[in-house]
Amino acid sequence: MRFLVLGAAAGGGLPQWNCGCLNCNMARDPSAALRPQTQSSLAVTLDGESWTIMNASPDIRQQLIDNRPLSPKSLRDTPIESVIITNGDIDHIAGLLVLRESQGFKLFTSPSVANILGDNPIFRALNPAFVAISAANLDHPFQPLAGMSATLFAVPGKVPLFMETDDLQIGIEDDLTIGVEIVVGDARAYYIPGCAQITDALAARLDGASLVFFDGTVFSDDEMIVTGTGHKTGRRMGHIPISGAEGSLEILSRLNIPRKIYVHINNTNPIWRHSPERDFVLEHGFEIARDGMEVTLALDP
């Protein structure tokens, strides 16, 4: 199983278009060590020929250009066999509009996210004669690629930003925020780019996995407040912080997971640059995703 990180950053990417924070300014400077990063998306294949993409970010056109294995092999063609959407946030669905060129692929998501797409007429640009939206029930396996089983499951989260109301609930577990379990033989991998809390049930599910790509949006809960870039905490945005008591690093470190990789990393997060926070994450055995990063899981014959 071969995974390819198409985009490692959270919504807005790095640099964010209207942000002059330290990370964004470094990412704009060709002489700095910090390279620009696109918005969250992950591709996976078993044979290098057919791929499934998890989340279609607004940057997907550039991501496909930058990753040659995803280029057409003939006049009208795509190696993309399927797309899986994990929530209705703009940074995960807007790229579907780029994939509107009467090209066939399977689109899988939860029933609630399928309703969000179906209720917005702009997504009718995806020609239904070529792209059918399949609402996959939670905890029911389906096949995004031949030989691969995928299962969607609820993780604590919230509604997409554009659906928030005054009675917003954080940490609800329904099919608006989901993780993806990928299974091939004895190999079990997870993609969870958004998660408000690691519950006991979620920890039990992840324990023993071969590989976990997990929400690394903010290092500390008050990161955006401290950097002056926003007034919300990470948890208020529906993202568990990496650090602190009951942060993702502390909980995931207790589990038997050989490879743990942070994805969906906000532009403000200090783990992007050489920093004590980055050293802390690496010293605890975690990896930090970057655009173009490849991860391979060997499969038993």
Side-chain angles (χ1 to χ4, degrees):
M1 235 189 324
R2 177 182 168 198
F3 294 86
L4 180 58
V5 177
L6 303 183
L14 177 72
Q16 184 173 299
W17 72 279
N18 65 335
C19 187
C21 74
L22 175 59
N23 285 345
C24 287
N25 284 337
M26 288 181 66
R28 292 186 182 99
D29 182 357
S31 66
L34 183 53
R35 299 269 66 82
Q37 305 289 318
T38 60
Q39 296 170 86
S40 180
S41 184
L42 180 70
V44 59
T45 184
L46 290 177
D47 59 8
E49 299 296 328
S50 297
W51 295 76
T52 188
I53 289 178
M54 289 175 272
N55 288 330
S57 90
D59 298 320
I60 195 166
R61 176 182 174 276
Q62 189 60 49
Q63 290 168 343
L64 299 183
I65 291 172
D66 291 342
N67 293 278
R68 292 298 299 274
L70 298 173
S71 298
K73 302 299 190 295
S74 59
L75 182 60
R76 285 289 189 179
D77 170 71
T78 179
I80 301 169
E81 189 166 313
S82 60
V83 176
I84 302 172
I85 303 296
T86 66
N87 65 22
D89 284 328
I90 290 172
D91 54 314
H92 288 159
I93 64 175
L96 292 172
L97 300 176
V98 180
L99 305 179
R100 68 187 185 278
E101 308 294 346
S102 294
Q103 181 68 51
F105 60 88
K106 303 167 191 172
L107 177 56
F108 298 99
T109 191
S110 69
S112 290
V113 177
N115 288 336
I116 291 174
L117 299 177
D119 290 344
N120 192 325
I122 195 171
F123 288 102
R124 295 174 194 162
L126 284 174
N127 189 337
F130 294 90
V131 180
I133 300 176
S134 296
N137 291 325
L138 300 187
D139 299 308
H140 284 71
F142 59 94
Q143 193 174 70
L145 296 173
M148 176 182 293
S149 174
T151 303
L152 307 182
F153 58 94
V155 299
K158 67 175 186 64
V159 299
L161 178 61
F162 60 85
M163 294 177 62
E164 288 188 8
T165 59
D166 291 339
D167 60 349
L168 174 68
Q169 293 180 286
I170 306 292
I172 56 174
E173 292 187 68
D174 57 19
D175 68 339
L176 279 170
T177 306
I178 55 179
V180 184
E181 178 187 75
I182 300 290
V183 176
V184 179
D186 293 332
R188 181 163 52 96
Y190 291 90
Y191 179 59
I192 308 173
C195 183
Q197 177 188 0
I198 302 178
T199 61
D200 290 343
L202 178 56
R205 181 189 285 267
L206 300 181
D207 198 21
S210 311
L211 168 67
V212 173
F213 293 92
F214 195 81
D215 182 353
T217 304
V218 292
F219 182 81
S220 56
D221 194 38
D222 62 353
E223 180 175 296
M224 294 191 67
I225 298 171
V226 170
T227 57
T229 55
H231 61 276
K232 296 178 183 177
T233 64
R235 294 184 188 275
R236 165 58 183 81
M237 295 188 295
H239 297 285
I240 183 174
I242 292 173
S243 66
E246 295 304 298
S248 63
L249 186 143
E250 177 183 294
I251 298 173
L252 293 177
S253 292
R254 304 172 193 158
L255 308 180
N256 176 27
I257 305 171
R259 296 195 71 174
K260 303 175 288 290
I261 303 174
Y262 280 122
V263 294
H264 195 276
I265 304 166
N266 201 52
N267 61 298
T268 56
N269 196 321
I271 68 172
W272 277 129
R273 62 184 186 270
H274 294 298
S275 64
E277 293 86 354
R278 183 182 181 90
D279 292 341
F280 178 78
V281 167
L282 298 178
E283 288 166 1
H284 280 80
F286 288 72
E287 299 172 65
I288 299 167
R290 63 186 183 280
D291 285 19
M293 178 181 186
E294 293 194 31
V295 179
T296 300
L297 283 181
L299 302 175
D300 292 333

